[in-house]
Amino acid sequence: MDLRIEITYKTPKGIETTLSSEEMEEGKALMIAEDLERTGRTKNLTFIDSDAHTWTIKELKKYMKGIQTEPHHITVYFDGGFDRETRKSGLGIAIYYEQNGKSYRLRKNALVDELGTNNEAEYAALHLALKELELLGVRHLPAKFVGDSQVVINQLSGEWPCYEQELNKWADRIENKLEQLDVKPDYEFVSRKGNKEADHLATQALKEIEVEGTVEIS
C-alpha cells in the first residue's frame, strides 16, 4: 500500500505550516513519520492512502503487523502467447511477494487450447495469476500487475474501450475475481524486454515444458 504523509510542522520560532509528502510504500512512510515525530515539532500527523482514507501511526502499525503472516507487497508479471499453427496458447506468470519477513517468487505456466487470439491468451494469463493469488490466500490487499500487452493493461485500467465480445468476457472474469478477493489492482505496462520472465514461461508452455514452483529470494 502506498501512502503520503501529511503533517503540521512548527519551527522553533513558532511558525506553522502543513506539509505533504510524495506517495511511498507503507514501511518507508512509517519510518519517516516516526523520525519526524522525534523532532518534537510536528502535530496532526496522518497518512493518506490512494483512496483518500486517513491512517494514524497506531492504525498503520496495526495494519502492518496484521499482514506480516499473509502474502503482501505483491507484484505479478504475466504474459500470454498464441500459436496460430497449433491453435494453442502458452500462459506464464511470475508472482513476487513478501510473507513473515521473507521474500518469495512463484512461477507457473500453462498450455491451453480453448483460446483463439493472442489477446485472449494475455487475459487468460492474468486470470491464471489471480487464481494463484487466491490459492496463496491473498485478500483485501493492493497488488501490482505488470504486462507487455497494451490491450489488456489499457482496457482494464479504463484507458481504452473494449469492443470485442470475448475480451469483454475475460475482462468481466478478471474484475469479478478482483472484487471477490477484494484486491485493488495497479496496472503497469512494460516492454517485452521488461517482461522477459513471464514471456519465457509462456514460451516454455508452448514447447510443453511445464514450470511450477515457489522459491525464497534474497
Side-chain angles (χ1 to χ4, degrees):
M1 176 172 61
D2 288 338
L3 304 159
R4 62 184 173 87
I5 305 168
E6 194 168 284
I7 61 167
T8 300
Y9 181 81
K10 186 175 181 179
T11 71
K13 293 186 178 181
I15 301 172
E16 290 188 359
T17 188
T18 299
L19 302 174
S20 183
S21 75
E22 62 182 5
E23 285 196 348
M24 64 192 82
E25 180 267 325
E26 73 268 10
K28 180 180 178 181
L30 182 59
M31 289 176 62
I32 292 174
E34 290 180 327
D35 190 60
L36 287 168
E37 281 207 323
R38 283 192 285 270
T39 68
R41 294 199 291 270
T42 64
K43 61 180 182 179
N44 303 327
L45 191 154
T46 58
F47 303 94
I48 304 174
D49 63 26
S50 56
D51 291 322
H53 296 146
T54 60
W55 303 67
T56 64
I57 285 184
K58 183 178 179 180
E59 289 170 338
L60 185 57
K61 283 183 174 179
K62 183 179 179 181
Y63 166 81
M64 291 178 63
K65 184 178 180 181
I67 67 172
Q68 283 306 305
T69 59
E70 304 172 3
H72 57 282
H73 292 164
I74 300 158
T75 300
V76 176
Y77 293 85
F78 69 95
D79 193 42
F82 177 71
D83 188 320
R84 292 185 179 182
E85 291 185 7
T86 64
R87 307 297 294 176
K88 293 182 182 295
S89 299
L91 317 180
I93 61 170
I95 302 175
Y96 290 80
Y97 63 96
E98 296 177 19
Q99 188 172 16
N100 294 319
K102 297 180 180 179
S103 299
Y104 297 93
R105 180 193 65 194
L106 181 157
R107 296 195 304 163
K108 184 171 184 176
N109 65 5
L111 180 66
V112 296
D113 57 12
E114 65 267 22
L115 307 177
T117 67
N118 193 76
N119 286 333
E120 284 185 71
E122 295 278 5
Y123 267 107
L126 178 50
H127 192 258
L128 175 65
L130 290 176
K131 289 193 290 185
E132 287 301 312
L133 292 184
E134 184 175 23
L135 291 174
L136 284 172
V138 174
R139 299 287 191 283
H140 318 300
L141 289 171
K144 178 178 287 188
F145 297 92
V146 183
D148 57 29
S149 168
Q150 283 188 301
V151 170
V152 172
I153 296 296
N154 288 340
Q155 286 181 347
L156 289 176
S157 62
E159 296 294 322
W160 290 2
C162 184
Y163 299 114
E164 296 179 47
Q165 185 177 2
E166 287 304 316
L167 299 190
N168 261 317
K169 289 179 181 178
W170 278 109
D172 287 343
R173 289 188 192 107
I174 286 166
E175 289 172 357
N176 288 339
K177 180 60 71 175
L178 287 168
E179 185 176 352
Q180 176 189 343
L181 300 178
D182 193 20
V183 167
K184 182 181 178 183
D186 175 20
Y187 296 109
E188 180 180 340
F189 171 74
V190 294
S191 66
R192 188 172 182 179
K193 184 178 179 181
N195 197 33
K196 58 185 179 181
E197 186 174 21
D199 175 74
H200 183 59
L201 287 164
T203 300
Q204 286 180 304
L206 285 171
K207 295 178 180 178
E208 300 188 14
I209 302 171
E210 185 178 357
V211 177
E212 183 173 4
T214 302
V215 295
E216 183 181 345
I217 57 178
S218 57

